[in-house]
Amino acid sequence: MRSFLVPTILLAAGLAFASPGSAQPAAPAPAASPAAAAPAASAAKVADPTLDAAGKPLHQAVPGVGEPVDKAFSLQQQVTPTGQEAHWFHNTILLPLITIISIFVLLLLVWVIIRYRRAANPTPSRTSHNTAIEIVWTLAPVLILVAIAIPSIKLLAAQFKPAPKGAVTLKAIGNQWFWSYEYPDNGNIQLTANMLKEEGQVGKDQRYRTDADGPRLLATDQRVVLPVGVPIRLVTTATDVIHSWAMPAFWIKLDAIPGRLNETSFIIQKEGVYFGQCSELCGARHAFMPIAVEAVSPAKFAQWVASKGGTMPGAKAEPASTTAMGNDATDATANGTTEAGPTVDATATPAPSNKPATANPAGAGNTGN
């Protein structure tokens, strides 16, 4: 029986391997569908409207506009409604009033010195009270303060007026010693802005400040881009010590305090490039924390947001990525912790990118000069 089963099993196995249907070739992989390649083509990067092909700023700073002017003693030209009101209040009410009071007090002192000197009054007067004069010098300051209080309180309320619905939110974060920014309503775009150094202060093939970037000590490798004619909600905070986000042309000076959010709002009325600085003593490199804001049209702002991989409120986000293009997945303020890193500036002709053009110029305790 066993001798019969063995040949039978071997014969069945041979027939199975010899069968043409037992060795079917692998099916070829389906060709890539044209529809599958469509999202990749549609996700092409939008050009940054604020930079040229070499990555340099298209909109150059105008001397005397949005920046300090040598030997000037007046306020900067204001480009926000609140700033224009404050400028009017200063020039029309405060300055004339201060001038009149100062001249009046000076003339009064001169008259008293001459009229009541010892030679003219060998016998001094013993008058101790004058009711009319006492009434005048009491009422006059009160009336002056009331006259100032009316426009002053109105201006104070305007500076802390909450932003309306639909405002563009800019979050400014102070670090030692640079600024980082977030656009939470536009896909959480993140920027890091460092001061650009002069040509002789950087290495070969590294980017340095040019006249197109702005004035010395005020130009940054990343400009904050904001639309004109649209309410801006400014939120400030800090990661280490107290800083202050100050932009004179906007009439803005808002402290950035660790663990706290401060907020104000403004509307930029004129396109241009405007410069400011940190105005709260924050350490060794306090003087090297400039702020550069480029105000553009709403349409150009929307294009800039798209170039960074962000979205405008109400628009559908691109499904290709959950992170804005060019943004780092890590904390934008991480370069503030690199104490031993070398001083690095951007390349001379950087490609348009949302990545920081420079590293933090110096670590804690290092002036970076």
Side-chain angles (χ1 to χ4, degrees):
M1 185 68 178
R2 182 178 301 174
S3 61
F4 175 78
L5 287 176
V6 173
T8 304
I9 294 173
L10 294 176
L11 178 62
L15 291 174
F17 281 106
S19 175
S22 63
Q24 294 291 341
S33 172
S42 62
K45 184 172 175 63
V46 179
D48 189 332
T50 65
L51 303 175
D52 60 15
K56 296 181 180 179
L58 288 172
H59 199 158
Q60 298 188 12
V62 178
V65 177
E67 62 184 47
V69 178
D70 186 28
K71 299 180 181 178
F73 56 85
S74 183
L75 300 174
Q76 287 189 22
Q77 179 184 353
Q78 299 297 306
V79 294
T80 65
T82 302
Q84 291 173 354
E85 183 178 351
H87 205 173
W88 171 86
F89 181 50
H90 174 270
N91 291 346
T92 308
I93 297 180
L94 292 183
L95 196 58
L97 188 60
I98 292 172
T99 303
I100 292 172
I101 293 176
S102 299
I103 293 175
F104 172 75
V105 172
L106 177 62
L107 294 177
L108 187 61
L109 288 174
V110 172
W111 181 73
V112 169
I113 291 172
I114 296 175
R115 174 66 179 80
Y116 296 102
R117 68 189 190 279
R118 178 182 295 181
N121 293 276
T123 303
S125 172
R126 297 187 178 275
T127 303
S128 59
H129 293 283
N130 187 304
T131 304
I133 291 178
E134 290 180 356
I135 292 175
V136 170
W137 76 35
T138 301
L139 286 181
V142 172
L143 295 176
I144 291 173
L145 292 176
V146 170
I148 294 176
I150 296 174
S152 178
I153 293 175
K154 180 182 177 183
L155 177 62
L156 187 64
Q159 293 182 71
F160 292 96
K161 182 179 179 181
K165 186 178 180 180
V168 174
T169 302
L170 173 68
K171 185 177 181 180
I173 306 169
N175 310 270
Q176 288 182 316
W177 290 271
F178 61 98
W179 290 98
S180 56
Y181 300 94
E182 297 177 2
Y183 292 75
D185 297 338
N186 300 101
N188 201 31
I189 297 173
Q190 298 179 4
L191 306 174
T192 300
N194 288 277
M195 184 189 73
L196 284 174
K197 295 186 176 183
E198 300 302 298
E199 183 176 4
Q201 297 176 329
V202 298
K204 185 179 179 181
D205 296 331
Q206 290 183 337
R207 187 184 173 195
Y208 51 85
R209 184 196 67 85
T210 64
D211 292 338
D213 295 304
R216 176 179 173 269
L217 300 180
L218 290 178
T220 63
D221 56 4
Q222 289 276 3
R223 290 177 178 174
V224 178
V225 179
L226 294 173
V228 298
V230 177
I232 308 296
R233 177 188 294 104
L234 174 65
V235 180
T236 60
T237 188
T239 60
D240 32 51
V241 299
I242 298 178
H243 302 272
S244 186
W245 202 87
M247 183 62 63
F250 298 170
W251 199 259
I252 294 292
K253 181 183 181 296
L254 195 62
D255 284 350
I257 303 174
R260 176 174 175 176
L261 297 178
N262 286 335
E263 180 178 326
T264 188
S265 63
F266 57 93
I267 299 176
I268 309 174
Q269 297 178 315
K270 183 179 179 182
E271 294 186 33
V273 183
Y274 306 97
F275 298 94
Q277 287 178 305
C278 175
S279 61
E280 189 73 40
L281 188 59
C282 57
R285 290 189 60 84
H286 160 68
F288 306 100
M289 284 185 64
I291 303 165
V293 175
E294 183 170 346
V296 300
S297 65
K300 187 175 289 187
F301 175 74
Q303 183 181 349
W304 179 83
V305 169
S307 72
K308 301 302 180 185
T311 57
M312 298 299 293
K316 276 190 175 182
E318 289 289 342
S321 174
T322 57
T323 305
M325 291 169 56
N327 289 335
D328 295 330
T330 56
D331 184 4
T333 62
N335 60 351
T337 62
T338 306
E339 296 188 5
T343 300
V344 179
D345 275 322
T347 56
T349 56
S353 171
N354 189 36
K355 291 185 178 179
T358 62
N360 188 28
N366 186 357
T367 62
N369 293 330

